[in-house]
């Protein structure tokens, strides 16, 4: 939960301007955040809120399926 320092929304705009996508996963009822959702939205990322361990695992599995794969030698 942001409460001091630079606004995460300003940081998200800077990230977007540099081509960085931020995906945000929050966990537990009190962690749900409009700022977190906006950070993901601003950068073209995904916001997922999980309320349980199975939902948290599913959130990361779903994100992993959407990310590009880069193979290097």
């Amino acid at each position: 939960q942001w409460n001091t320092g630079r606004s995460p929304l300003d940081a998200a705009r800077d990230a977007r301007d540099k081509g960085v996508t931020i995906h945000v996963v929050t966990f537990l009822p009190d962690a749900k955040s409009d700022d977190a959702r906006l950070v993901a939205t601003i950068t073209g990322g995904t916001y997922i809120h999980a309320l349980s361990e199975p939902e948290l695992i599913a959130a990361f599995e779903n994100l992993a399926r959407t990310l590009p794969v880069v193979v290097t030698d």
Side-chain angles (χ1 to χ4, degrees):
Q1 184 67 35
W2 170 71
N3 60 11
T4 187
R6 185 171 184 228
S7 164
L9 303 181
D10 290 340
R13 289 181 192 98
D14 288 346
R16 177 200 59 209
D17 293 347
K18 293 179 181 179
V20 175
T21 302
I22 300 173
H23 301 286
V24 180
V25 177
T26 55
F27 182 60
L28 300 175
D30 292 339
K32 197 167 189 177
S33 163
D34 290 335
D35 283 341
R37 181 181 301 278
L38 283 170
V39 165
T41 299
I42 288 167
T43 64
T46 301
Y47 172 80
I48 302 170
H49 180 72
L51 292 173
S52 65
E53 180 181 356
E55 286 182 11
L56 184 62
I57 291 168
F60 282 105
E61 287 174 345
N62 289 336
L63 277 176
R65 287 187 196 99
T66 67
L67 298 176
V69 176
V70 177
V71 179
T72 61
D73 185 36

